[in-house]
Amino acid sequence: MKLSLYEVAKVVEAQNIISEFDDVPLKQIEFDSRRIEKGDLFLPLKGERDGHDFIEKAFENGAVATFSEKEISGHPYILVKDCLKAFQELAKYYIEKMRLDVIAVTGSNGKTSTKDMIEAVLATTYKTYKTQGNYNNEIGLPYTVLHMPDDTEKIVLEMGQDHMGDIHLLSEIVQPHIAVVTLIGEAHLEFFGSREKIAQGKMQITDGMNSHGILIAPGDPIIDPYLPENQMVIRFGENQEIFVNSIEESKNSLRFTTNVLEQALTLPLSGKYNAINAMLAAYVGKLLAVAEEDILEALEHIQLTGNRTEWKKASNGADILSDVYNANPTAMRLILETFAQIVPNQGGQKIALLADMKELGPSSVDLHCQLIQALNPDDIDHLIFYGQDIEPLAQLASQMYPIGKVFFFKKTEAEDQFEDLYHHVQEILGSNDQILIKGSHSMHLEEIVNRLLA
């Protein structure tokens, strides 16, 4: 991190006399005192515990200074009204100081995969850094910025939203040069109330962009009222400026063509939605002058952040399509479409274990029920449902499927049939079978996956 104590104090308008302390170079900034190393700046944030309670521990671990919202004695410190706001202001300053291209990515589905793909493409040509893990909020994004290597030339930042205004804040901090919106779905509908409001929130990704910025967004008309007037806009999808066609899908790969590239591209991934994500990455690469052969090389060997869509092998030999990180109706439909098209081993059956999708608000039950359109006895042999809001969907499916092919296991505050669920899966899953396991992370389906692998 190319910052000194005096420089930071000036940026955040320190309210104490910083010249009382020596000006020293700062190695990193950390908000967890346990991660502090010699030469770091400590950031005490207020959460379940007040970070100010750990200032002394931070200095014991090697901190050379700390932010603080109150006066302290015995150590160098930068006095501010709000440590989090100061952190965000510092990140904004650091982006400007480093003079690098910022690529921002958001969307209800696919933003992490797209971020990973863009970073892989750009890394063939530039020193590139990206959001690590799920550091995509008001704390994680500035942390990512202030932890990028000193020689970074391009940074790819994922932006998440739980409430209206989240992405506006993040965009204002990093002022993207290129913004990518992957998809407008129903994620966090509980907090937004409508898909239109979700679209409005996602489109705030352009709020920090200047007139030279480029927005890449889906052709979905729901975003039309929120398109910027002073930036270049590229739409993707059917009958749009950039598009995917000729998709061939198998269990472990995806081959397709796009008007972005002259050659066909083969991804080591399944899921037609990944073709869209790869096309977006390729387009960003082209915008930033990455050679096509480098784009193809990067995407054909891509490795995505874990716990998304992954094929795994159960201990009995069955194939598991694990997608247990999160769930919303759009993502659920997409993964069901992919799963339906992949043929199991000879004699094997196809099983889907689907659990509640969270944060859908008053429309939750209706949105679960609408998934009946994605279920077909000709495509999936056996359905297992787990949760509470998903129960009406299970009832609809039982009317469409043969007797004995649909099962429901309850998860409520009063009763949790998780163990019964696991034993049922274990009992019916044969060595030649395929099983899709998907639900919101809070349903803890990763425990089912891990037990089947053990």
Side-chain angles (χ1 to χ4, degrees), residues 351-370:
I351 304 165
L353 165 54
L354 309 178
D356 276 2
M357 302 174 287
K358 297 297 186 180
E359 299 180 355
L360 296 179
S363 302
S364 180
V365 170
D366 289 340
L367 289 168
H368 280 83
C369 286
Q370 289 174 22

Side-chain angles (χ1 to χ4, degrees), residues 236-255:
F236 65 87
E238 189 174 354
N239 299 320
Q240 300 296 329
E241 291 168 83
I242 57 175
F243 54 85
V244 163
N245 50 28
S246 305
I247 299 178
E248 301 173 13
E249 186 173 17
S250 64
K251 189 176 81 171
N252 295 308
S253 67
L254 195 66
R255 185 172 177 81

Side-chain angles (χ1 to χ4, degrees), residues 76-147:
Y77 72 102
I78 300 172
L79 183 64
V80 294
K81 290 182 179 180
D82 185 320
C83 285
L84 177 57
K85 185 176 179 181
F87 185 43
Q88 294 164 348
E89 290 173 350
L90 184 60
K92 181 174 182 177
Y93 166 80
Y94 200 57
I95 283 283
E96 295 170 351
K97 175 179 178 174
M98 295 292 284
R99 297 183 179 274
L100 74 171
D101 287 328
V102 177
I103 300 90
V105 183
T106 194
S108 301
N109 197 60
K111 59 181 176 290
T112 301
S113 298
T114 303
K115 171 207 70 180
D116 289 344
M117 291 180 181
I118 293 173
E119 187 274 340
V121 166
L122 298 183
T124 64
T125 309
Y126 305 100
K127 299 289 186 181
T128 309
Y129 192 62
K130 67 178 178 180
T131 299
Q132 306 296 302
N134 62 348
Y135 274 42
N136 62 7
N137 62 9
E138 73 279 7
I139 298 173
L141 180 137
Y143 184 90
T144 300
V145 167
L146 292 166
H147 278 251

Side-chain angles (χ1 to χ4, degrees), residues 5 38 56 87 96 133 137 174 176 185 222 246 256 262-263 266-267 272 277 296 353 363 373 385 391 394 413:
L5 181 62
K38 186 176 181 180
E56 198 61 42
F87 185 43
E96 295 170 351
N137 62 9
V174 300
I222 200 167
S246 305
F256 64 94
E262 295 181 7
Q263 301 180 52
T266 301
L267 293 176
K272 291 182 179 179
N277 300 339
L296 293 169
L353 165 54
S363 302
Q373 301 170 30
F385 298 94
E391 183 174 7
E413 290 185 6

Side-chain angles (χ1 to χ4, degrees), residues 3 6 52 92 144 147 180 217 236 245 314 337 352 390 420 423:
L3 292 170
Y6 283 13
H52 289 77
K92 181 174 182 177
T144 300
H147 278 251
V180 179
F236 65 87
N245 50 28
E337 177 184 337
I390 207 168
D420 294 335
H423 290 302

Side-chain angles (χ1 to χ4, degrees), residues 291-320:
E292 177 156 329
E293 57 266 31
D294 291 330
I295 294 173
L296 293 169
E297 175 71 16
L299 294 175
E300 288 176 353
H301 297 90
I302 189 70
Q303 291 186 344
L304 300 182
T305 300
N307 288 328
R308 297 313 200 258
T309 306
E310 298 177 282
W311 280 101
K312 300 174 180 285
K313 183 70 71 172
S315 59
N316 73 343
D319 290 320
I320 303 170

Side-chain angles (χ1 to χ4, degrees), residues 127-240:
K127 299 289 186 181
T128 309
Y129 192 62
K130 67 178 178 180
T131 299
Q132 306 296 302
N134 62 348
Y135 274 42
N136 62 7
N137 62 9
E138 73 279 7
I139 298 173
L141 180 137
Y143 184 90
T144 300
V145 167
L146 292 166
H147 278 251
M148 64 180 165
D150 291 346
D151 60 353
T152 301
E153 298 173 298
K154 315 288 182 187
I155 188 167
V156 188
L157 296 169
E158 180 179 328
M159 294 183 176
Q161 72 170 5
D162 290 330
H163 301 88
M164 183 65 74
D166 288 350
I167 290 179
H168 168 81
L169 170 66
L170 302 181
S171 181
E172 290 287 348
I173 291 172
V174 300
Q175 303 173 65
H177 297 81
I178 299 173
V180 179
V181 179
T182 62
L183 183 145
I184 305 298
E186 304 89 352
H188 308 301
L189 193 58
E190 177 181 2
F191 305 121
F192 286 85
S194 68
R195 191 165 166 263
E196 286 76 14
K197 284 293 184 182
I198 292 171
Q200 182 182 356
K202 294 293 186 186
M203 294 301 291
Q204 289 178 345
I205 196 171
T206 66
D207 288 359
M209 293 171 60
N210 63 29
S211 59
H212 300 293
I214 301 172
L215 170 68
I216 307 168
D220 189 339
I222 200 167
I223 70 171
D224 289 354
Y226 312 113
L227 291 173
E229 297 180 357
N230 63 334
Q231 288 134 10
M232 179 186 295
V233 178
I234 305 297
R235 307 293 290 272
F236 65 87
E238 189 174 354
N239 299 320
Q240 300 296 329

